[in-house]
Amino acid sequence: MDPDTAEFGFELRACRWAEREWPPGGDPAGDDTAIVVARQLGTKRRRWDTIVLECDPEALRQRAKFGLERLDDDLRHVVRNAPEEWAYYRDALPHPGYPWRYVREAIHGAADRGILETRKNGNRIEIRRKWVYPDWLERIVAIENKPDLDASAARALASQLEYDVAMGLADEVWVATRQTGDAVEPALFEDLPIEAGILSLEPDDLTAAVEWYPRSLAVDEPGSRILDRPAGGERDGSAARFEYVDPDWKADKRLTIAERAYERGWRSFVDTMRPDCRHFQLRARDATQALPYCAAEDRCQTAAECSGSCGEFEPEPPVWRTRGWPIEGGPGKRSQRVLEERRRRRRPGL
């Protein structure tokens, strides 16, 4: 794997390993836990490479009734508080803390998606729920992928992990690094927070070993958001600046992240690439996963490289798309359909 794209390819293999083998160090999740894996998700201040959602299987099937698209904060406020019987929406819903006109927009959006019943009673909008929004999320596990965790990479990663531990937004944080085969993996010698777990992964055959187990973080308690930290060297004794984060805010943000992960999944890399390029391919290293491949560069490319500004970009020849075009399309459209079908199969109830 090219060193410039190693982390991207490693990340995709790590996601596939998580789908197959999670949790690490034990038996894969069975009937008691359903796994949803996503990549490149987080908050405005922090984005994780990989996210693993541990979910209640039956509740996840109930979540599927609300469709594949995410439910944002406004939509969740409506569907979670909608009454069993018809009621005026202002009487049925708690005050959202923002103008009611945005609630009306969310009500119309939910009705258009078929996840809420509405009717007019004079000039009033009345609502009634269709289904109970389930408590489907059990745990969020965040993973940082660093195939080559040298000292400089560890220093940069340490501050990010310290932020995660202080916030307590995820239940666990891990670092996944490439397996070296040494008696003691080099990652154990790096100065990382002891609360973070370390996983050594062999991406070629999708095997992994736990080098250090993580501590469970206090997601139900107030968190600390680190705003600024001393940067004056080892002798700088000035204090870091931080602010406390309310547990209710954390609970809402966790569900927001989970909804985005449910919608996107990790195979969405093709959505940010150019599968309509004649050089774009999907290649399967084994029978379990298709990875992007650029025939012009002769390697796995990143999403940033695979764009219309790429010097090697060439649109698919029209002859590739004559049969069934534009409904069925050419090879690029076929690649998108294959990945979308696989992503959909990972959502129980769909």
Side-chain angles (χ1 to χ4, degrees), residues 85-149:
E85 302 299 333
W86 290 108
Y88 177 46
Y89 77 94
R90 287 204 187 191
D91 295 336
L93 303 177
H95 195 285
Y98 47 82
W100 283 104
R101 66 177 181 273
Y102 298 113
V103 178
R104 291 194 297 271
E105 291 177 6
I107 288 173
H108 293 314
D112 291 342
R113 289 172 56 171
I115 58 178
L116 181 74
E117 293 184 313
T118 63
R119 72 180 185 184
K120 285 292 254 339
N121 186 358
N123 291 327
R124 292 190 164 196
I125 300 175
E126 296 184 340
I127 62 174
R128 183 174 69 179
R129 77 179 181 213
K130 296 187 70 171
W131 309 286
V132 175
Y133 183 82
D135 186 16
W136 59 279
L137 176 66
E138 294 182 342
R139 301 174 78 241
I140 295 179
V141 180
I143 304 175
E144 287 297 318
N145 300 304
K146 293 293 179 185
D148 301 312
L149 189 64

Side-chain angles (χ1 to χ4, degrees), residues 59-328:
L60 191 59
R61 294 187 184 92
Q62 296 301 315
R63 165 60 185 84
K65 294 179 179 179
F66 293 87
L68 185 59
E69 296 180 18
R70 78 184 75 174
L71 299 181
D72 61 21
D73 294 346
D74 294 343
L75 284 174
R76 290 201 310 274
H77 177 74
V78 171
V79 299
R80 296 178 80 177
N81 296 290
E84 292 186 62
E85 302 299 333
W86 290 108
Y88 177 46
Y89 77 94
R90 287 204 187 191
D91 295 336
L93 303 177
H95 195 285
Y98 47 82
W100 283 104
R101 66 177 181 273
Y102 298 113
V103 178
R104 291 194 297 271
E105 291 177 6
I107 288 173
H108 293 314
D112 291 342
R113 289 172 56 171
I115 58 178
L116 181 74
E117 293 184 313
T118 63
R119 72 180 185 184
K120 285 292 254 339
N121 186 358
N123 291 327
R124 292 190 164 196
I125 300 175
E126 296 184 340
I127 62 174
R128 183 174 69 179
R129 77 179 181 213
K130 296 187 70 171
W131 309 286
V132 175
Y133 183 82
D135 186 16
W136 59 279
L137 176 66
E138 294 182 342
R139 301 174 78 241
I140 295 179
V141 180
I143 304 175
E144 287 297 318
N145 300 304
K146 293 293 179 185
D148 301 312
L149 189 64
D150 56 18
S152 61
R155 284 194 296 271
L157 187 59
S159 61
Q160 300 177 37
L161 296 176
E162 289 169 359
Y163 180 94
D164 296 338
V165 171
M167 274 285 287
L169 199 56
D171 294 84
E172 290 177 359
V173 291
W174 290 77
V175 177
T177 186
R178 183 185 292 273
Q179 213 169 66
T180 64
D182 295 348
V184 178
E185 288 292 332
L188 288 170
F189 295 112
E190 301 298 346
D191 188 17
L192 301 175
I194 62 173
E195 294 86 353
I198 298 177
L199 185 75
S200 60
L201 174 70
E202 176 47 62
D204 291 332
D205 56 12
L206 289 181
T207 58
V210 177
E211 307 298 336
W212 185 268
Y213 281 94
R215 293 183 182 178
S216 295
L217 303 180
V219 296
D220 297 325
E221 299 179 7
S224 300
R225 181 186 290 120
I226 300 174
L227 302 176
D228 190 18
R229 63 181 70 235
E234 295 180 0
R235 298 181 181 275
D236 186 355
S238 56
R241 290 195 307 113
F242 67 93
E243 63 183 6
Y244 288 113
V245 180
D246 186 76
D248 292 337
W249 180 91
K250 287 170 58 174
D252 287 340
K253 186 59 65 176
R254 281 164 56 85
L255 203 48
T256 297
I257 293 171
E259 282 286 345
R260 292 175 61 204
Y262 182 87
E263 177 186 55
R264 279 183 48 182
W266 65 269
R267 290 191 178 88
S268 57
F269 63 80
V270 75
D271 298 337
T272 56
M273 289 185 168
R274 294 301 303 263
D276 57 332
C277 174
R278 70 179 299 156
H279 301 300
F280 182 90
Q281 300 176 8
L282 288 179
R283 289 195 176 184
R285 187 180 306 183
D286 47 43
T288 64
Q289 183 180 12
L291 298 174
Y293 187 86
C294 178
E297 300 289 345
D298 195 25
R299 59 177 170 83
C300 173
Q301 74 278 35
T302 67
E305 293 174 315
C306 191
S307 63
S309 60
C310 172
E312 301 292 340
F313 174 75
E314 295 183 49
E316 292 176 336
V319 68
W320 290 7
R321 302 179 289 186
T322 52
R323 295 184 179 181
W325 173 262
I327 297 176
E328 296 180 6

Side-chain angles (χ1 to χ4, degrees), residues 332-348:
K333 285 289 185 181
R334 178 56 183 161
S335 297
Q336 290 176 304
R337 286 198 301 271
V338 167
L339 293 177
E340 180 58 34
E341 290 167 2
R342 293 187 176 188
R343 181 167 51 177
R344 188 177 181 88
R345 285 201 297 270
R346 296 298 303 184
R347 304 297 180 266

